[in-house]
Amino acid sequence: AERPIFEQAINESPDLPLPYVGRIISYGTPVFYAIDFNAMGESPWDAIYEVFLTLDADVQMLLINDFKQVEATYTAALEQGQPPISGFDGRFFAEIAAFLETGIPSAYLEESDEW
């Protein structure tokens, strides 16, 4: 299903990270509801990737691209002197995109407590 509010926000302000974050949350929430966090052991990454693979291929690509866009737009905003968003780490989003493309979490993600 389309997420018109996010599509409109991205079309109007493609250089802002937050519309991409909103669309990630919108499409990604079902992934987290489908994961049995009690049965996954020490690392959530295998369970997250397994559920991610159940999404339609176009949604998978949209999520990967949106994670990349969040990192890119956030980094660009910081470079232009805009204040950082509290608790926000652009690298985390780039690492998630790479993980979703490969299924292999980086050491950065394994050690992260951001999610």
Side-chain angles (χ1 to χ4, degrees):
E2 289 295 311
R3 308 303 202 268
I5 190 86
F6 298 115
E7 303 298 327
Q8 180 180 351
I10 289 167
N11 288 336
E12 290 177 7
S13 301
D15 57 335
L16 296 178
L18 290 180
Y20 298 102
V21 171
R23 193 162 66 179
I24 287 168
I25 291 168
S26 177
Y27 279 100
T29 297
V31 173
F32 282 93
Y33 282 128
I35 296 170
D36 182 358
F37 286 99
N38 294 320
M40 72 177 146
E42 290 184 21
S43 174
W45 299 108
D46 288 343
I48 291 169
Y49 191 66
E50 186 177 307
V51 174
F52 173 75
L53 292 177
T54 68
L55 299 174
D56 291 338
D58 59 335
V59 174
Q60 290 178 15
M61 288 308 302
L62 180 128
L63 285 168
I64 290 168
N65 290 330
D66 279 0
F67 276 107
K68 289 178 181 179
Q69 282 299 117
V70 170
E71 190 278 333
T73 55
Y74 184 69
T75 299
L78 287 178
E79 289 171 356
Q80 294 172 10
Q82 296 178 20
I85 301 166
S86 177
F88 199 88
D89 180 1
R91 178 179 175 191
F92 179 76
F93 288 89
E95 296 280 343
I96 293 287
F99 161 69
L100 294 177
E101 289 177 316
T102 65
I104 302 167
S106 66
Y108 176 89
L109 288 179
E110 290 281 5
E111 296 168 5
S112 177
D113 61 358
E114 294 222 18
W115 68 278

